[in-house]
Amino acid sequence: EYVEDVMKGVAEGVHGELEKSIFIGPRGVRIFRRNEPFRDESEDEVSFPKMAGAMSALGHEHRLKILNELMSGGKYINELQEKLSEITTSTLSSHLNILEEVGLVVQEKVRGRYLITMPGRTAYKMVRQIVRFLERRDGE
């Protein structure tokens, strides 16, 4: 049931974007087509330091709030600052840098908007599903 909930939530959130999903990472932009595996073929295993970095990036309330805001579309830093007024501009910028370093968000080079990547969307939805699962389990 848990896996089904996770997969349903992720599928609902990204369904419209799967046809032409863009992954932006350390090697630049790569467009994934339907039925193409969503992984870097040069690495068969994910390193523990990379996993720890991604988990660390997701381990802060402000960064989760930033991802939540970006789920509805790209935003300029001033728009994020307006929505997340409890976060100072310098702190917001620092959190965005951390999210960008691990590939969960990207900043447009020309316009400067921040966008959530497909891995960012997936990670955010999975964290939400895990919390829901744990809350249900604790309630039993």
Side-chain angles (χ1 to χ4, degrees):
E1 182 178 302
Y2 165 70
V3 172
E4 185 177 296
D5 286 349
V6 169
M7 295 310 296
K8 182 180 176 188
V10 170
E12 288 172 359
V14 298
H15 175 73
E17 299 176 47
L18 289 178
E19 193 69 42
K20 291 175 81 177
S21 302
I22 297 177
F23 173 79
I24 301 174
R27 293 190 184 100
V29 176
R30 176 143 184 239
I31 298 177
F32 290 84
R33 308 250 182 254
R34 188 185 298 181
N35 299 326
E36 182 178 353
F38 189 72
R39 66 179 182 85
D40 185 350
E41 290 84 8
S42 66
E43 296 182 272
D44 290 333
E45 296 180 22
V46 176
S47 71
F48 288 111
K50 285 182 181 178
M51 290 182 346
M55 294 301 289
S56 177
L58 292 167
H60 195 285
E61 183 180 345
H62 288 164
R63 291 192 283 270
L64 291 172
K65 287 180 178 182
I66 292 167
L67 291 176
N68 182 58
E69 287 299 323
L70 294 175
M71 289 293 284
S72 62
K75 292 190 176 42
Y76 296 99
I77 196 161
N78 63 329
E79 293 174 312
L80 287 168
Q81 183 64 58
E82 194 175 293
K83 293 276 190 176
L84 304 169
S85 59
E86 74 274 15
I87 307 173
T88 66
T89 304
S90 61
T91 302
L92 177 61
S93 181
S94 177
H95 286 309
L96 285 164
N97 286 338
I98 291 167
L99 291 169
E100 196 169 9
E101 283 176 19
V102 296
L104 300 179
V105 302
V106 65
Q107 185 179 20
E108 292 177 322
K109 293 196 186 302
V110 176
R111 296 174 58 190
R113 282 186 319 162
Y114 284 92
L115 306 165
I116 191 167
T117 61
M118 289 300 292
R121 285 184 178 280
T122 302
Y124 179 78
K125 288 190 167 281
M126 291 180 93
V127 168
R128 285 179 53 125
Q129 289 298 103
I130 290 168
V131 170
R132 285 184 186 141
F133 173 76
L134 292 173
E135 286 173 346
R136 277 190 295 208
R137 192 189 70 177
D138 289 343
E140 293 176 358

